[in-house]
């Protein structure tokens, strides 16, 4: 990596970390604090913009026919950025990769503001695509806390990052009105206000990582792993059994995160439509989605502890079972029942939470520092695209059948996680890094 090659002083600092488990633990704790701070800013940037993206497009186009375009562009931009951020992180470290992703998201948000001022639709769409970089980076930042974590700390580290995102994600939408009024005072369209906030918070998140994330946890983790291999005279490419298990773990982790994302997005997307057909207003929809989002993130600390203590496999199975329960309950609940629909959406968010945290932990377990960030970026691309697929297919299924059919199908699909994890856990080989 560039940092290690260009500066022998930096190499000496890495050597100090290699020789001192205490310094490794201190750097792990410091990294978590920095990640938490960046995630709070990043969460605000993500939520503030998404809240009004469709409204801004509708206002500029004068029609609601293309109001879904912003979400599609966020997703596409997120998928592309996940791959780029992963590769940049692998080559130059987490600090550079994550900072570049957040700063790109901030630039995209600035582009949206300029597009709103100039009423330039083409610039709006391009800027929204770039803005999606912030979303991908916000998700990938959860990996940074795991680089120096022990196997028994990894899920907890992931959960801390996810909980910290919640603070920003809750604050962002609540500042929409404030930022709208601020935008009007500046003489720009009100709907561009949240993107002013997004630009500021994404850039702050990027600067926090760029300035404070030193030494880089991924580079230090790779240096430690290299030293261990040298001492043991073990080369990664000579252990075919370990590689075979690694591949199984990567497949299992990817399957878990892709399926949980697809099922969650599909049912969540059509729930407001289903509620509207049964006479529920926007306040009811907002309340249920609020409970759903809370269930996605707030249980993370407990989930992380459970994943570390009782095991990845059990929590992965719990994810499938919980999603099945959510699908069955959503299908059986009367459309007029706020209580049962709310419970179904809470279970849906909880199942997603179990799946993302356990899947992320499995992915970290199944990689080593030499290929970890690149692999994580590739898997996050699939996760982003699965969410887009779930959103598109959900409308098709409901249009040709019913919300109940969609919910049951999603629940049954989630059960595929069980045989995948039984397969992946057989012939388990202990990882070396």
């Amino acid at each position: 990596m560039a940092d290690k090659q260009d500066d022998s002083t930096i190499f000496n600092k890495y050597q100090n970390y290699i020789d001192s488990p205490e310094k490794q633990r201190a750097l792990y704790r410091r990294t978590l604090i920095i990640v938490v701070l960046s995630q709070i800013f990043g969460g605000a940037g993500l939520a503030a913009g998404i809240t009004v993206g469709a409204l801004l497009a509708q206002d500029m186009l004068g029609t609601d026919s293309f109001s879904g375009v912003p979400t599609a562009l966020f997703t596409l931009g997120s998928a592309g950025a996940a791959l780029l951020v992963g590769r940049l992180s692998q080559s130059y470290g987490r600090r550079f990769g994550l900072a570049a992703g957040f700063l790109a998201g901030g630039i995209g948000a600035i582009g949206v503001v300029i597009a709103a001022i100039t009423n330039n639709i083409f610039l709006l769409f391009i800027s929204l695509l770039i803005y999606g970089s912030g979303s991908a980076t916000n998700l990938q930042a959860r990996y940074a806390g795991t680089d120096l974590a022990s196997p028994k700390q990894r899920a907890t580290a992931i959960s801390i990052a996810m909980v910290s995102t919640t603070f920003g994600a809750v604050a962002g939408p609540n500042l929409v009105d404030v930022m709208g009024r601020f935008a009007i005072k500046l003489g720009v369209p009100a709907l561009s206000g949240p993107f002013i906030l997004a630009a500021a918070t994404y850039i702050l998140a990027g600067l926090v990582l760029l300035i404070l994330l030193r030494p880089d946890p991924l580079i230090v983790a790779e240096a430690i792993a290299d030293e261990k291999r040298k001492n043991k005279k073990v080369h990664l490419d000579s252990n075919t059994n370990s590689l075979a298990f690694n591949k199984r773990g990567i497949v299992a982790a990817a399957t878990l995160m892709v399926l949980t994302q697809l099922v969650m997005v599909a049912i969540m997307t059509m729930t407001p439509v289903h509620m509207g057909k049964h006479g529920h207003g926007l306040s009811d929809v907002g309340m249920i989605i609020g409970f759903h989002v809370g269930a996605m993130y707030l249980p993370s600390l407990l989930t992380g502890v459970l994943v570390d203590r009782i095991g990845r496999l059990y929590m992965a199975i719990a994810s499938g079972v919980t999603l099945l329960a959510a699908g069955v309950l959503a299908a059986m609940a009367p459309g007029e029942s706020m209580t049962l629909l709310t419970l179904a959406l809470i279970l849906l968010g909880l199942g997603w939470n179990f799946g993302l945290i356990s899947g992320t932990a499995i992915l970290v377990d199944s990689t080593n520092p030499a290929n970890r960030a690149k692999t994580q970026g590739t898997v996050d691309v699939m996760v982003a695209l699965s969410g887009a697929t779930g959103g598109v297919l959900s409308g098709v299924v409901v249009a040709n059948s019913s919300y109940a059919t969609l919910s049951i199908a999603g629940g049954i699909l989630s059960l595929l996680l069980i045989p995948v994890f039984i397969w992946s856990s057989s012939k388990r080989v202990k990882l070396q890094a």
Side-chain angles (χ1 to χ4, degrees):
M1 290 186 183
D3 285 359
K4 289 186 289 185
Q5 293 172 354
D6 295 343
D7 194 337
S8 59
T9 302
I10 293 178
F11 176 78
N12 290 333
K13 291 182 180 179
Y14 292 152
Q15 191 64 51
N16 290 336
Y17 284 102
I18 291 170
D19 296 335
S20 173
E22 289 185 4
K23 284 192 174 184
Q24 292 173 27
R25 289 191 291 270
L27 181 58
Y28 162 68
R29 291 190 294 269
R30 183 171 180 272
T31 298
L32 276 183
I33 293 171
I34 296 166
V35 168
V36 165
L37 185 58
S38 71
Q39 288 292 82
I40 292 172
F41 288 131
L46 168 68
I50 287 179
T51 303
V52 299
L55 296 175
L56 180 59
Q58 182 185 41
D59 185 61
M60 291 178 64
L61 290 166
T63 175
D64 59 0
S65 299
F66 299 98
S67 59
V69 170
T71 300
L73 290 171
F74 293 156
T75 304
L76 185 60
S78 175
L83 187 63
L84 291 174
V85 169
R87 291 179 182 274
L88 284 172
S89 297
Q90 193 67 71
S91 298
Y92 302 104
R94 298 284 187 198
R95 183 174 70 90
F96 184 82
L98 295 175
F102 273 131
L103 292 173
I107 292 170
I110 292 171
V112 172
V113 175
I114 296 172
I117 294 171
T118 59
N119 200 34
N120 189 323
I121 297 299
F122 179 75
L123 178 60
L124 173 68
F125 288 167
I126 294 297
S127 299
L128 286 170
L129 191 69
I130 299 171
Y131 173 74
S133 301
S135 174
T137 309
N138 207 63
L139 189 60
Q140 283 215 15
R142 74 191 190 278
Y143 292 119
T146 67
D147 289 325
L148 293 170
S150 70
K152 291 295 185 182
Q153 294 175 316
R154 286 169 179 166
T156 302
I158 296 161
S159 67
I160 290 172
M162 289 182 62
V163 166
S164 60
T165 303
T166 309
F167 296 119
V170 169
N174 287 318
L175 292 173
V176 165
D177 287 340
V178 175
M179 292 307 300
R181 292 193 295 271
F182 177 71
I184 291 172
K185 287 183 179 179
L186 294 178
V188 301
L191 289 175
S192 68
F195 284 97
I196 296 174
L197 175 65
T201 53
Y202 273 161
I203 290 172
L204 279 172
L207 291 176
V208 164
L209 292 164
L210 189 63
I211 295 170
L212 299 180
L213 200 61
R214 295 169 181 266
D216 192 286
L218 182 61
I219 299 177
V220 173
E222 186 169 348
I224 293 169
D226 286 342
E227 185 71 15
K228 286 181 179 179
R229 284 194 290 270
K230 289 177 184 177
N231 291 340
K232 295 180 180 179
K233 297 181 179 181
V234 174
H235 297 283
L236 189 63
D237 57 0
S238 67
N239 193 334
T240 56
N241 288 331
S242 180
L243 282 175
F245 172 68
N246 287 355
K247 290 177 181 178
R248 286 189 177 200
I250 292 169
V251 170
T255 301
L256 173 56
M257 289 190 280
V258 164
L259 279 181
T260 52
Q261 182 78 358
L262 189 150
V263 171
M264 186 276 290
V265 171
I267 297 176
M268 179 194 68
T269 298
M270 295 312 297
T271 297
V273 177
H274 174 68
M275 293 176 66
K277 291 180 179 178
H278 288 83
H280 295 284
L282 288 177
S283 60
D284 289 343
V285 171
M287 186 182 74
I288 281 186
I289 296 301
F291 276 110
H292 169 68
V293 173
M296 288 172 62
Y297 290 100
L298 291 178
S300 294
L301 286 179
L302 178 59
T303 302
V305 171
L306 291 174
V307 170
D308 280 335
R309 291 190 178 179
I310 71 174
R312 280 64 159 149
L313 173 63
Y314 293 112
M315 292 304 294
I317 292 174
S319 173
V321 172
T322 305
L323 289 173
L324 173 63
V328 171
L329 183 57
M332 296 180 61
E336 298 78 14
S337 175
M338 278 290 293
T339 301
L340 292 180
L341 284 174
T342 300
L343 181 57
L345 268 290
I346 288 174
L347 289 173
L348 186 69
L350 190 61
W352 178 87
N353 179 271
F354 291 167
L356 186 70
I357 293 179
S358 57
T360 301
I362 293 166
L363 185 60
V364 175
D365 292 343
S366 304
T367 54
N368 58 73
N371 66 7
R372 182 165 291 156
K374 182 179 177 180
T375 305
Q376 289 164 344
T378 301
V379 171
D380 275 4
V381 170
M382 293 188 286
V383 172
L385 293 178
S386 71
T389 302
V392 172
L393 290 181
S394 64
V396 175
V397 171
V398 172
N400 290 277
S401 183
S402 67
Y403 176 76
T405 300
L406 172 71
S407 300
I408 290 291
I412 293 173
L413 184 63
S414 66
L415 290 181
L416 290 176
L417 296 173
I418 296 176
V420 167
F421 276 90
I422 291 174
W423 164 77
S424 72
S425 62
S426 63
K427 298 181 180 179
R428 187 171 287 239
V429 179
K430 187 176 181 180
L431 297 177
Q432 297 175 3

